[in-house]
Structure formats: C-alpha cells, structure tokens
Amino acid sequence: MACNCSSGSLTCCKDQEYVQDKVCMPWAGEVPTGAAAVVTVSVYTNNFGQNLVATGYLQYDSGPEPITVQAIGANNTVIGTPITLTPGTSTSFTFRRFNELQVILPVAAAGEGPFAGEFCATVRYPLA
C-alpha cells in the first residue's frame, strides 16, 4: 500500500507532536478626545511562527460604537474579511498563519468612553 498524506487519507504519515494552549483575557481600549485616526488594540501576537492555528472567540461587552476584528498576516496584510461587532455581541474564529489579532476602535468614538470585552483562543503549533 502506498503512503498518502492528503487531507482525506492519513495512511503512512509521519507522526507530529503538537502543543495546544488556551489563553483567555479581558481586553479594553479608548479613543482619546480629538483623535484623528482609529485606535488599534492588539489582543494576540503570534511569536511561535507561521504554523500557528488558533480557534476562539472575541466578545464585545461594552462600548459606544461598533468595532472591527481582524487578523494580520505576513507583510501586515489583513487575512480574510474584517468582522464588525456591536456592543453585547461576539464572534468566533479560526485563523491560520497569522501574526496578530486586532480590535479596531473607530475614530467616531473619540472621547465617548471605554470599549471592553474578552478574548479567548486555543492555539496549536507543531513542536520543532
């Protein structure tokens, strides 16, 4: 029988060991009065390398305006379509090969009060 390591068949594939970690934490941010640009809150930074996979959620508990959630990949490019959340909502995600997960606070909310929520992710990466 021939070896086949395609996604549909895993016969004769080399064993790999993966590490899985879960991280949960509150996030918060404010847009200062008179701000001329959006405020970016980095909720997670990948310091493991390009083989990282993360599954989780971002909860937006309170704030004056909708926010945007986005994953940033190589060369600071946005991965996929940014997700817009309104206060009291959340989104789940699975991202692969990303460098950073960001919450973007709108400039329209300058001086209107704090934004807050919770970020939780389970990250997996192969042992080298």
Side-chain angles (χ1 to χ4, degrees):
M1 182 169 126
C3 291
N4 181 358
C5 290
S6 69
S7 61
S9 176
L10 298 176
T11 58
C12 303
C13 293
K14 178 182 167 191
D15 288 337
Q16 289 188 342
E17 292 185 42
Y18 284 84
V19 173
Q20 179 171 304
D21 292 318
K22 184 174 184 179
V23 59
C24 292
M25 63 184 180
W27 66 267
E30 261 186 82
V31 181
T33 301
V38 299
V39 171
T40 301
V41 177
S42 179
V43 293
Y44 189 85
T45 302
N46 171 6
N47 61 359
F48 296 109
Q50 290 301 312
N51 291 326
L52 182 88
V53 175
T55 301
Y57 68 87
L58 189 120
Q59 184 174 305
Y60 178 23
D61 294 330
S62 62
E65 299 281 340
I67 62 168
T68 303
V69 180
Q70 63 187 16
I72 303 297
N75 301 318
N76 290 322
T77 57
V78 176
I79 297 173
T81 303
I83 302 162
T84 300
L85 295 177
T86 56
T89 63
S90 63
T91 188
S92 60
F93 60 82
T94 298
F95 291 117
R96 181 178 180 177
R97 296 184 178 183
F98 66 95
N99 293 332
E100 185 177 12
L101 297 178
Q102 300 175 337
V103 172
I104 308 299
L105 309 180
V107 70
E112 290 187 28
F115 293 78
E118 181 181 52
F119 167 76
C120 195
T122 300
V123 294
R124 291 170 294 284
Y125 53 93
L127 291 175

